[in-house]
Amino acid sequence: MEWLVSLVGAGLVMVGLRDLFHTLWHPTRHGGLSRVVMTALWRLARRLRARRRVVGLIGPLAMVTVVGMWAGTVIIGWAIVYWPHMPESFAFSPGSKAAQEPALLDSLYLSLVTVATLGLGDIAPGEHWLRLVSPLEALVGFALLTATVSWVLEIYPALTRRRVLAIRLALLRDADPATGQLDSTAGALLLDSLATEVVRVRIDFTQYAEAYYFHDGEDHSSLAAMVGYAADLAERGQRARRPEVRLAGELLAGALADLATILDQRFLHTGGSPAEVFTAYATDHGRDRAQP
């Protein structure tokens, strides 16, 4: 029975590590529990009609919640591993009153101290297999800390790329290029560069799905508000007389359709056309679709 309880704890640890792997290191970055937590927080904020300032905190708050969930799963899981063997399989420092505490409390304390790599030494494993398992937990705690820092450092460049594209589209909308200006070599280069940036954003939504739950802020830096204008530019490019402009317009339209597919498959689930997906995207982020 003791080993069965320990195996349950080991299974809980594996669940947390699997979710961490699929969220941060899997090629598709398609986490399970982390996605559920982030989606739930986002929908709760939208349902409560929270103010923009509050909605803007959902992304960072969701990341903190997910990291806390990973840490809590690892700590509780390892505590369950220790629990059936506490206190007879552990050595206590002289004068320590830890052995007089409930076994579960001592197990949680030891797991927390170990995963934080503090190594206080007042409770030490005595059996051989526990002496191997305990340092392994410390390694997992160090890996969790490193992964969290890496996650934060990776997500913000992706948000920057998204905002750069949105601001560039806003500037183009304000400049309102004439048909003759767009139907030129410069117009072809413009549409081609926009297609490249849209592809980068599409990859960011694939690799960093959590970026979806970050609110962009003002309208001029919101892709949700500006992506409609990108579709309008693509349509104008497709109707141009110059073949290079038409080609660039096709590329931009294809990139936008691909982006709409990712948004719909992973977040919105409308099953509609790209235009309908972008409208749903704007609505989900509290924006009306921007008009040129």
Side-chain angles (χ1 to χ4, degrees), residues 186-272:
L189 293 174
L190 171 64
L191 295 178
D192 183 71
S193 64
L194 287 175
T196 301
E197 292 187 42
V198 170
V199 170
R200 289 197 185 103
V201 171
R202 180 263 189 213
I203 294 174
D204 286 338
F205 276 124
T206 303
Q207 294 293 321
Y208 311 104
E210 58 275 7
Y212 180 86
Y213 305 105
F214 279 74
H215 192 67
D216 285 334
E218 301 298 328
D219 284 335
H220 72 276
S221 63
S222 169
L223 182 63
M226 292 293 110
V227 69
Y229 181 66
D232 294 332
L233 286 176
E235 292 177 5
R236 291 173 61 185
Q238 289 172 303
R239 296 194 303 266
R241 292 178 299 174
R242 289 176 175 263
E244 65 270 23
V245 179
R246 290 199 301 271
L247 176 60
E250 291 286 349
L251 289 174
L252 179 56
L256 289 169
D258 196 24
L259 174 62
T261 299
I262 294 298
L263 288 173
D264 201 41
Q265 288 179 348
R266 289 183 168 241
F267 309 105
L268 299 170
H269 312 293
T270 66

Side-chain angles (χ1 to χ4, degrees), residues 73-142:
T73 302
V74 170
I75 292 170
I76 294 174
W78 239 288
I80 294 175
V81 172
Y82 299 143
W83 183 25
H85 312 281
M86 184 72 70
E88 61 273 5
S89 297
F90 292 84
F92 297 82
S93 61
S96 174
K97 297 182 180 180
Q100 302 174 9
E101 300 294 336
L104 181 58
L105 180 60
D106 280 342
S107 300
L108 284 171
Y109 166 75
L110 176 61
S111 181
L112 181 59
V113 169
T114 304
V115 83
T117 66
L118 294 177
L120 298 181
D122 51 343
I123 303 178
E127 293 191 8
H128 296 300
W129 72 274
L130 286 172
R131 296 178 67 181
L132 294 176
V133 167
S134 186
L136 183 60
E137 182 183 7
L139 289 176
V140 170
F142 181 76

Side-chain angles (χ1 to χ4, degrees), residues 42 45-47 49-52 55-56 212 214-219 222-226 268 278-290:
W42 178 262
R46 300 300 305 154
R47 184 172 298 178
R49 299 181 181 275
R51 295 183 178 181
R52 289 184 179 180
V55 174
Y212 180 86
F214 279 74
H215 192 67
D216 285 334
E218 301 298 328
D219 284 335
S222 169
L223 182 63
M226 292 293 110
L268 299 170
F278 291 144
T279 299
Y281 176 41
T283 301
D284 197 36
H285 280 254
R287 308 289 183 188
D288 293 323
R289 180 177 172 178

Side-chain angles (χ1 to χ4, degrees), residues 123-180:
I123 303 178
E127 293 191 8
H128 296 300
W129 72 274
L130 286 172
R131 296 178 67 181
L132 294 176
V133 167
S134 186
L136 183 60
E137 182 183 7
L139 289 176
V140 170
F142 181 76
L144 179 60
L145 175 62
T146 304
T148 301
V149 174
S150 300
W151 196 20
V152 173
L153 294 178
E154 288 176 349
I155 187 64
Y156 282 97
L159 296 175
T160 300
R161 287 189 289 270
R162 191 171 77 192
R163 288 169 182 165
V164 166
L165 173 60
I167 292 174
R168 189 180 182 194
L169 288 171
L171 293 173
L172 283 170
R173 184 193 61 181
D174 295 340
D176 192 19
T179 302

